[in-house]
Amino acid sequence: MVGRRGLGRQFGWLWAAYAVSAYGSGLGFGALPLIAVLALRASPAEVSALSAVGPAVGALIAVPLAPWVEFRRKRPVMIAMDLTRFAALATVPVAYAFGWLSFVQLLVISAVAAAAKIAFNAASGAYLKALVRPDDLLVANARFESTNWSSIAVGPPLGGAAIGLFGPVTTVVADALSYLLSALSITAIRRREEAPQTTGKSPARAGALLDGWRHLMGHPGLRALYLNNMLVGGLIMATEPLLAVLLLRQLGFPPWQYGLAFAAPCVGGLIGSRLARRVVARYGRHAVFRTVGTLRAIWLIGLAFVRPGVVGLVIVIAVELAIIINMSLYTPVLATYRLEHTPKHLVARTLTAWSIGQQASIAVLTALAGLLADISSPRTALTVAGLLILATPLLLPRRDQMPQHEPELARGHS
């Protein structure tokens, strides 16, 4: 029996920061596109650009930020990124109140928030590795994963109700304040942080921008997991707009059923994340990557068989529940392995490279899926995505690609 493990007060403040910003983001899920539609009467093309171009530009901004994050103390970086997101989002209600809000402003905010999120996640991953014992990394990542899924389950429905009652910028205000509270929580961490050591080469050199990708592609286990995760995550996310069109426009699902179809399965995130440590302890990490990594991929094809009515709703909920249970079990194990097999002086750049690759994959595959849906139909595009993802387990690492012990990484860079 695996009992609950305490990770200390300092981790508690970091977890509180993660939780408050996660719930703020849940409340503000899709807020900028919604404001573009309701307040600015934006066209479908503009809304699509806001959803795709802003994060893509943010990913490009994050590339030169990676070395800057790497060679600085991580707690001040996290606070700065939280305050940056607070300041950017806070301009929305102010501009809306004075009638100055524009589509360009929303596009800039989307890019800034995306870049700050990547930089924050890179810094927080490096900080977590220094904050908790190596044996506790999986427990810590599982708690983050559980919090993430609970925020997705609760946040969007409450955010939709708040917008209906108080207006289109309400959830943006809540999201902005959540970053301010997150910064205050991180400020409360009193653990002294050592100054990062440089490698003897200039952090500003051109090659430093690519060091994260070099590490990922040079490590057999991480390379396999990186490529697999880009395709799996990209294909799953590419189905969301297709499913929205299929359910709402073609099958006539009412909005509340559409919301239920995505909110209810998030309970699976609590189940999977709580099982992660027990499953690893019993079956081993490699079994989780191979078995659970495969189980993430086999359910998506079920969305191609959705029908109108209650049966169709049950199919969507069942498919999403199965995917989320396996994703939430797999993700903290992956995050822990990634930290364990990345030297201290490369953590921020490696996590940045991982995030940028994931965002690029989602953008490209979503665009291709939308194009296929325009040429054929959303159901056809869902079928193709479901079939393609069945091949992704071939990219999962073999046992000989996953060294279990790497003492040179445990010592860090000297």
Side-chain angles (χ1 to χ4, degrees):
M1 180 71 177
V2 180
R4 184 177 179 86
R5 297 173 66 129
L7 302 184
R9 179 176 297 180
Q10 307 307 315
F11 172 78
W13 282 115
L14 183 63
W15 190 14
Y18 183 92
V20 71
S21 63
Y23 276 90
S25 297
L27 284 168
F29 181 76
L32 295 185
L34 192 61
I35 290 171
V37 171
L38 297 178
L40 302 178
R41 302 294 188 266
S43 68
E46 288 176 322
V47 175
S48 298
L50 184 59
S51 299
V53 175
V57 173
L60 290 177
I61 296 172
V63 173
L65 278 178
W68 178 82
V69 173
E70 191 77 79
F71 297 105
R72 279 164 176 77
R73 288 184 172 90
K74 304 304 182 287
R75 193 169 72 102
V77 170
M78 289 189 287
I79 294 170
M81 293 303 105
D82 270 339
L83 294 178
T84 297
R85 288 185 283 185
F86 165 73
L89 290 172
T91 65
V92 173
V94 173
Y96 179 78
F98 287 96
W100 300 335
L101 190 64
S102 69
F103 178 77
V104 172
Q105 179 185 352
L106 295 183
L107 201 60
V108 171
I109 291 170
S110 177
V112 170
K117 178 180 179 180
I118 293 174
F120 180 94
N121 289 343
S124 65
Y127 193 65
L128 177 66
K129 185 171 181 175
L131 189 65
V132 303
R133 298 186 302 270
D135 290 346
D136 288 330
L137 278 175
L138 179 55
V139 177
N141 282 313
R143 291 182 186 176
F144 288 151
E145 186 73 6
S146 174
T147 302
N148 178 58
W149 285 109
S150 65
S151 70
I152 295 173
V154 173
L158 291 179
I163 288 173
L165 290 172
F166 304 112
V169 301
T170 304
T171 57
V172 175
V173 174
D175 196 9
L177 291 175
S178 76
Y179 293 121
L180 185 59
L181 293 174
S182 173
L184 292 173
S185 296
I186 295 169
T187 302
I189 300 174
R190 297 303 180 189
R191 183 180 184 274
R192 186 178 181 277
E193 184 181 0
E194 296 180 3
Q197 296 180 354
T198 64
T199 61
K201 300 178 182 179
S202 171
R205 78 190 199 282
L209 303 179
L210 303 177
D211 284 345
W213 278 283
R214 289 195 186 97
H215 174 62
L216 288 173
M217 302 310 291
H219 186 291
L222 288 175
R223 179 175 62 245
L225 292 168
Y226 181 51
L227 297 175
N228 171 268
N229 211 62
M230 280 200 300
L231 287 176
V232 171
L235 287 168
I236 289 175
M237 294 302 294
T239 64
E240 288 196 3
L242 303 176
L243 201 57
V245 174
L246 179 65
L247 295 182
L248 295 172
R249 186 176 300 172
Q250 297 186 358
L251 299 182
F253 278 64
W256 72 267
Q257 286 187 351
Y258 174 75
L260 179 64
F262 286 96
C266 290
V267 175
L270 304 178
I271 298 171
S273 58
R274 291 183 68 85
L275 288 174
R277 185 164 174 262
R278 292 177 172 86
V279 173
V280 170
R282 182 166 183 175
Y283 298 104
R285 186 160 51 190
H286 182 261
V288 171
F289 285 142
R290 296 294 299 183
T291 304
V292 181
T294 299
L295 290 174
R296 290 182 308 158
I298 65 175
W299 305 101
L300 194 65
I301 189 65
L303 296 178
F305 301 97
V306 174
R307 294 291 181 267
V310 175
V311 173
L313 179 63
V314 170
I315 290 174
V316 175
I317 291 176
V319 169
E320 295 286 340
L321 179 64
I323 292 173
I324 290 172
I325 287 176
N326 287 287
M327 286 182 64
S328 61
L329 198 164
Y330 179 93
T331 300
V333 182
L334 169 63
T336 301
Y337 181 86
R338 190 174 57 207
L339 286 176
E340 289 176 347
H341 289 264
T342 300
K344 287 172 61 177
H345 71 286
L346 280 175
V347 172
R349 282 171 290 175
T350 298
L351 296 181
T352 299
W354 189 287
S355 296
I356 291 172
Q358 190 70 72
Q359 283 199 186
S361 174
I362 291 172
V364 170
L365 291 173
T366 300
L368 291 175
L371 180 61
L372 179 59
D374 284 342
I375 296 172
S376 54
S377 69
R379 193 181 297 275
T380 299
L382 285 169
T383 302
V384 171
L387 292 174
L388 287 175
I389 203 172
L390 293 176
T392 59
L394 297 175
L395 293 172
L396 289 167
R398 303 183 304 273
R399 187 175 294 276
D400 60 0
Q401 292 179 302
M402 298 183 62
Q404 295 300 308
H405 302 286
E406 297 188 12
E408 69 277 11
L409 297 187
R411 288 194 300 267
H413 182 76
S414 59

mmCIF file of all heavy atoms in Angstrom, residues 15 31 44 56 70 74 93 95 100 130 148-149 189 191 201 217 236 265 282 296 302 304 329 348 373 385-386 390:
data_model
loop_
_atom_site.group_PDB
_atom_site.id
_atom_site.type_symbol
_atom_site.label_atom_id
_atom_site.label_comp_id
_atom_site.label_asym_id
_atom_site.label_seq_id
_atom_site.Cartn_x
_atom_site.Cartn_y
_atom_site.Cartn_z
ATOM 1 N N TRP A 15 2.776 24.451 -5.252
ATOM 2 C CA TRP A 15 1.546 23.774 -5.685
ATOM 3 C C TRP A 15 0.368 24.750 -5.630
ATOM 4 O O TRP A 15 -0.487 24.761 -6.522
ATOM 5 C CB TRP A 15 1.303 22.565 -4.792
ATOM 6 C CG TRP A 15 0.204 21.642 -5.258
ATOM 7 C CD1 TRP A 15 -0.398 21.629 -6.483
ATOM 8 C CD2 TRP A 15 -0.411 20.608 -4.488
ATOM 9 N NE1 TRP A 15 -1.360 20.636 -6.525
ATOM 10 C CE2 TRP A 15 -1.375 19.999 -5.319
ATOM 11 C CE3 TRP A 15 -0.233 20.136 -3.198
ATOM 12 C CZ2 TRP A 15 -2.166 18.932 -4.875
ATOM 13 C CZ3 TRP A 15 -1.011 19.069 -2.753
ATOM 14 C CH2 TRP A 15 -1.972 18.475 -3.592
ATOM 15 N N ALA A 31 -11.381 32.517 -23.516
ATOM 16 C CA ALA A 31 -11.948 33.849 -23.284
ATOM 17 C C ALA A 31 -11.598 34.827 -24.399
ATOM 18 O O ALA A 31 -12.461 35.608 -24.838
ATOM 19 C CB ALA A 31 -11.471 34.387 -21.938
ATOM 20 N N PRO A 44 -14.770 34.430 -38.612
ATOM 21 C CA PRO A 44 -14.191 33.105 -38.307
ATOM 22 C C PRO A 44 -12.696 33.038 -38.579
ATOM 23 O O PRO A 44 -11.953 32.406 -37.829
ATOM 24 C CB PRO A 44 -14.983 32.167 -39.230
ATOM 25 C CG PRO A 44 -16.294 32.857 -39.428
ATOM 26 C CD PRO A 44 -15.979 34.321 -39.454
ATOM 27 N N ALA A 56 1.573 30.587 -31.740
ATOM 28 C CA ALA A 56 2.736 30.301 -32.585
ATOM 29 C C ALA A 56 3.794 31.400 -32.442
ATOM 30 O O ALA A 56 4.994 31.116 -32.323
ATOM 31 C CB ALA A 56 2.303 30.166 -34.049
ATOM 32 N N GLU A 70 17.415 29.809 -18.302
ATOM 33 C CA GLU A 70 18.325 28.765 -17.814
ATOM 34 C C GLU A 70 19.349 29.292 -16.820
ATOM 35 O O GLU A 70 19.625 28.661 -15.796
ATOM 36 C CB GLU A 70 19.046 28.136 -19.010
ATOM 37 C CG GLU A 70 19.812 26.875 -18.679
ATOM 38 C CD GLU A 70 18.889 25.678 -18.541
ATOM 39 O OE1 GLU A 70 18.464 25.119 -19.568
ATOM 40 O OE2 GLU A 70 18.589 25.314 -17.384
ATOM 41 N N LYS A 74 15.424 30.687 -10.693
ATOM 42 C CA LYS A 74 14.133 30.353 -11.296
ATOM 43 C C LYS A 74 12.940 31.013 -10.599
ATOM 44 O O LYS A 74 11.942 31.342 -11.240
ATOM 45 C CB LYS A 74 13.940 28.825 -11.311
ATOM 46 C CG LYS A 74 15.070 28.074 -12.021
ATOM 47 C CD LYS A 74 15.270 28.577 -13.443
ATOM 48 C CE LYS A 74 16.346 27.806 -14.184
ATOM 49 N NZ LYS A 74 17.714 28.108 -13.724
ATOM 50 N N PRO A 93 -9.828 44.311 -19.758
ATOM 51 C CA PRO A 93 -10.988 45.011 -19.183
ATOM 52 C C PRO A 93 -10.841 46.531 -19.225
ATOM 53 O O PRO A 93 -11.843 47.244 -19.385
ATOM 54 C CB PRO A 93 -11.049 44.494 -17.741
ATOM 55 C CG PRO A 93 -9.703 43.940 -17.460
ATOM 56 C CD PRO A 93 -9.197 43.421 -18.758
ATOM 57 N N ALA A 95 -9.216 48.368 -21.575
ATOM 58 C CA ALA A 95 -9.494 48.799 -22.947
ATOM 59 C C ALA A 95 -10.974 48.620 -23.290
ATOM 60 O O ALA A 95 -11.577 49.456 -23.980
ATOM 61 C CB ALA A 95 -8.625 48.007 -23.922
ATOM 62 N N TRP A 100 -11.587 50.968 -26.266
ATOM 63 C CA TRP A 100 -10.342 50.957 -27.044
ATOM 64 C C TRP A 100 -9.945 49.561 -27.502
ATOM 65 O O TRP A 100 -8.958 49.399 -28.223
ATOM 66 C CB TRP A 100 -9.189 51.526 -26.209
ATOM 67 C CG TRP A 100 -9.376 52.934 -25.752
ATOM 68 C CD1 TRP A 100 -10.156 53.896 -26.344
ATOM 69 C CD2 TRP A 100 -8.787 53.547 -24.596
ATOM 70 N NE1 TRP A 100 -10.093 55.067 -25.647
ATOM 71 C CE2 TRP A 100 -9.251 54.891 -24.556
ATOM 72 C CE3 TRP A 100 -7.923 53.121 -23.609
ATOM 73 C CZ2 TRP A 100 -8.881 55.782 -23.561
ATOM 74 C CZ3 TRP A 100 -7.538 54.006 -22.610
ATOM 75 C CH2 TRP A 100 -8.020 55.322 -22.591
ATOM 76 N N ALA A 130 14.949 21.074 -8.125
ATOM 77 C CA ALA A 130 15.797 21.482 -7.010
ATOM 78 C C ALA A 130 15.049 21.499 -5.678
ATOM 79 O O ALA A 130 15.666 21.400 -4.614
ATOM 80 C CB ALA A 130 16.380 22.870 -7.284
ATOM 81 N N ASN A 148 -4.486 20.051 -12.596
ATOM 82 C CA ASN A 148 -4.764 20.502 -13.952
ATOM 83 C C ASN A 148 -6.115 19.985 -14.447
ATOM 84 O O ASN A 148 -6.934 20.754 -14.968
ATOM 85 C CB ASN A 148 -3.645 20.034 -14.881
ATOM 86 C CG ASN A 148 -3.889 20.435 -16.320
ATOM 87 O OD1 ASN A 148 -4.030 21.599 -16.632
ATOM 88 N ND2 ASN A 148 -3.940 19.449 -17.201
ATOM 89 N N TRP A 149 -6.356 18.690 -14.268
ATOM 90 C CA TRP A 149 -7.607 18.115 -14.783
ATOM 91 C C TRP A 149 -8.820 18.577 -13.988
ATOM 92 O O TRP A 149 -9.905 18.770 -14.547
ATOM 93 C CB TRP A 149 -7.517 16.593 -14.806
ATOM 94 C CG TRP A 149 -6.661 16.098 -15.925
ATOM 95 C CD1 TRP A 149 -5.422 15.530 -15.834
ATOM 96 C CD2 TRP A 149 -6.959 16.168 -17.322
ATOM 97 N NE1 TRP A 149 -4.934 15.236 -17.088
ATOM 98 C CE2 TRP A 149 -5.854 15.616 -18.014
ATOM 99 C CE3 TRP A 149 -8.047 16.636 -18.058
ATOM 100 C CZ2 TRP A 149 -5.812 15.516 -19.404
ATOM 101 C CZ3 TRP A 149 -8.009 16.544 -19.437
ATOM 102 C CH2 TRP A 149 -6.907 15.987 -20.094
ATOM 103 N N ILE A 189 7.635 31.385 -0.932
ATOM 104 C CA ILE A 189 8.624 30.317 -0.802
ATOM 105 C C ILE A 189 9.930 30.928 -0.274
ATOM 106 O O ILE A 189 10.504 31.813 -0.902
ATOM 107 C CB ILE A 189 8.872 29.623 -2.152
ATOM 108 C CG1 ILE A 189 7.570 29.008 -2.695
ATOM 109 C CG2 ILE A 189 9.947 28.538 -2.016
ATOM 110 C CD1 ILE A 189 7.698 28.420 -4.083
ATOM 111 N N ARG A 191 12.776 29.193 0.541
ATOM 112 C CA ARG A 191 13.971 28.388 0.323
ATOM 113 C C ARG A 191 15.007 29.173 -0.478
ATOM 114 O O ARG A 191 14.700 29.742 -1.521
ATOM 115 C CB ARG A 191 13.604 27.109 -0.423
ATOM 116 C CG ARG A 191 14.771 26.151 -0.645
ATOM 117 C CD ARG A 191 14.279 24.925 -1.389
ATOM 118 N NE ARG A 191 15.327 23.931 -1.550
ATOM 119 C CZ ARG A 191 16.208 23.932 -2.540
ATOM 120 N NH1 ARG A 191 16.170 24.892 -3.449
ATOM 121 N NH2 ARG A 191 17.126 22.981 -2.632
ATOM 122 N N LYS A 201 30.629 28.737 -21.560
ATOM 123 C CA LYS A 201 30.340 29.373 -22.838
ATOM 124 C C LYS A 201 29.246 30.407 -22.625
ATOM 125 O O LYS A 201 28.449 30.309 -21.694
ATOM 126 C CB LYS A 201 29.878 28.328 -23.859
ATOM 127 C CG LYS A 201 30.912 27.249 -24.132
ATOM 128 C CD LYS A 201 30.357 26.215 -25.109
ATOM 129 C CE LYS A 201 31.356 25.097 -25.376
ATOM 130 N NZ LYS A 201 30.806 24.080 -26.301
ATOM 131 N N MET A 217 17.088 15.153 -28.718
ATOM 132 C CA MET A 217 17.319 14.277 -29.862
ATOM 133 C C MET A 217 18.550 13.386 -29.669
ATOM 134 O O MET A 217 18.697 12.368 -30.356
ATOM 135 C CB MET A 217 17.480 15.115 -31.136
ATOM 136 C CG MET A 217 16.281 15.998 -31.442
ATOM 137 S SD MET A 217 14.679 15.118 -31.400
ATOM 138 C CE MET A 217 14.855 14.062 -32.845
ATOM 139 N N ILE A 236 -4.673 14.469 -30.975
ATOM 140 C CA ILE A 236 -5.814 14.580 -30.059
ATOM 141 C C ILE A 236 -6.371 16.005 -30.067
ATOM 142 O O ILE A 236 -7.592 16.211 -30.162
ATOM 143 C CB ILE A 236 -5.402 14.157 -28.634
ATOM 144 C CG1 ILE A 236 -5.176 12.642 -28.583
ATOM 145 C CG2 ILE A 236 -6.487 14.555 -27.621
ATOM 146 C CD1 ILE A 236 -4.653 12.136 -27.258
ATOM 147 N N PRO A 265 -15.675 13.927 -18.517
ATOM 148 C CA PRO A 265 -14.533 12.997 -18.561
ATOM 149 C C PRO A 265 -13.300 13.478 -17.819
ATOM 150 O O PRO A 265 -12.391 12.670 -17.552
ATOM 151 C CB PRO A 265 -14.236 12.876 -20.074
ATOM 152 C CG PRO A 265 -15.488 13.270 -20.755
ATOM 153 C CD PRO A 265 -16.088 14.321 -19.877
ATOM 154 N N ARG A 282 4.366 -0.880 -9.014
ATOM 155 C CA ARG A 282 4.020 -2.287 -9.225
ATOM 156 C C ARG A 282 4.561 -2.846 -10.534
ATOM 157 O O ARG A 282 5.053 -3.981 -10.577
ATOM 158 C CB ARG A 282 2.498 -2.456 -9.187
ATOM 159 C CG ARG A 282 2.043 -3.887 -9.358
ATOM 160 C CD ARG A 282 0.596 -4.063 -8.994
ATOM 161 N NE ARG A 282 0.179 -5.460 -9.095
ATOM 162 C CZ ARG A 282 -1.016 -5.917 -8.751
ATOM 163 N NH1 ARG A 282 -1.925 -5.072 -8.258
ATOM 164 N NH2 ARG A 282 -1.311 -7.183 -8.873
ATOM 165 N N ARG A 296 -3.316 5.350 -24.638
ATOM 166 C CA ARG A 296 -3.713 6.733 -24.955
ATOM 167 C C ARG A 296 -4.205 6.853 -26.389
ATOM 168 O O ARG A 296 -5.016 7.720 -26.708
ATOM 169 C CB ARG A 296 -2.524 7.685 -24.810
ATOM 170 C CG ARG A 296 -2.018 7.951 -23.425
ATOM 171 C CD ARG A 296 -0.876 8.941 -23.482
ATOM 172 N NE ARG A 296 0.152 8.547 -24.419
ATOM 173 C CZ ARG A 296 1.039 9.354 -24.985
ATOM 174 N NH1 ARG A 296 1.029 10.635 -24.683
ATOM 175 N NH2 ARG A 296 1.943 8.903 -25.826
ATOM 176 N N GLY A 302 -12.813 6.095 -31.902
ATOM 177 C CA GLY A 302 -14.212 5.987 -31.495
ATOM 178 C C GLY A 302 -15.026 7.226 -31.788
ATOM 179 O O GLY A 302 -16.252 7.149 -31.974
ATOM 180 N N ALA A 304 -15.154 8.850 -34.445
ATOM 181 C CA ALA A 304 -15.679 8.797 -35.810
ATOM 182 C C ALA A 304 -17.046 8.132 -35.867
ATOM 183 O O ALA A 304 -17.749 8.244 -36.882
ATOM 184 C CB ALA A 304 -14.699 8.053 -36.716
ATOM 185 N N LEU A 329 -2.359 9.404 -16.241
ATOM 186 C CA LEU A 329 -1.454 8.448 -15.622
ATOM 187 C C LEU A 329 -0.070 8.544 -16.262
ATOM 188 O O LEU A 329 0.958 8.511 -15.582
ATOM 189 C CB LEU A 329 -2.025 7.031 -15.774
ATOM 190 C CG LEU A 329 -1.485 5.928 -14.848
ATOM 191 C CD1 LEU A 329 -2.413 4.726 -14.865
ATOM 192 C CD2 LEU A 329 -0.075 5.488 -15.222
ATOM 193 N N ALA A 348 15.801 24.055 -18.209
ATOM 194 C CA ALA A 348 14.915 25.098 -18.755
ATOM 195 C C ALA A 348 14.889 25.060 -20.272
ATOM 196 O O ALA A 348 13.828 25.170 -20.893
ATOM 197 C CB ALA A 348 15.356 26.473 -18.263
ATOM 198 N N ALA A 373 -11.096 18.496 -43.329
ATOM 199 C CA ALA A 373 -12.525 18.573 -43.030
ATOM 200 C C ALA A 373 -13.255 19.453 -44.045
ATOM 201 O O ALA A 373 -14.396 19.154 -44.431
ATOM 202 C CB ALA A 373 -12.747 19.107 -41.616
ATOM 203 N N ALA A 385 -7.578 11.073 -38.358
ATOM 204 C CA ALA A 385 -6.800 11.319 -37.139
ATOM 205 C C ALA A 385 -6.783 10.081 -36.251
ATOM 206 O O ALA A 385 -5.744 9.711 -35.690
ATOM 207 C CB ALA A 385 -7.378 12.513 -36.380
ATOM 208 N N GLY A 386 -7.939 9.415 -36.131
ATOM 209 C CA GLY A 386 -8.028 8.212 -35.308
ATOM 210 C C GLY A 386 -7.184 7.072 -35.841
ATOM 211 O O GLY A 386 -6.622 6.285 -35.068
ATOM 212 N N LEU A 390 -3.107 5.520 -34.303
ATOM 213 C CA LEU A 390 -2.881 4.106 -34.001
ATOM 214 C C LEU A 390 -1.448 3.680 -34.302
ATOM 215 O O LEU A 390 -0.964 2.673 -33.774
ATOM 216 C CB LEU A 390 -3.864 3.230 -34.783
ATOM 217 C CG LEU A 390 -5.340 3.352 -34.395
ATOM 218 C CD1 LEU A 390 -6.204 2.506 -35.321
ATOM 219 C CD2 LEU A 390 -5.548 2.922 -32.945
#
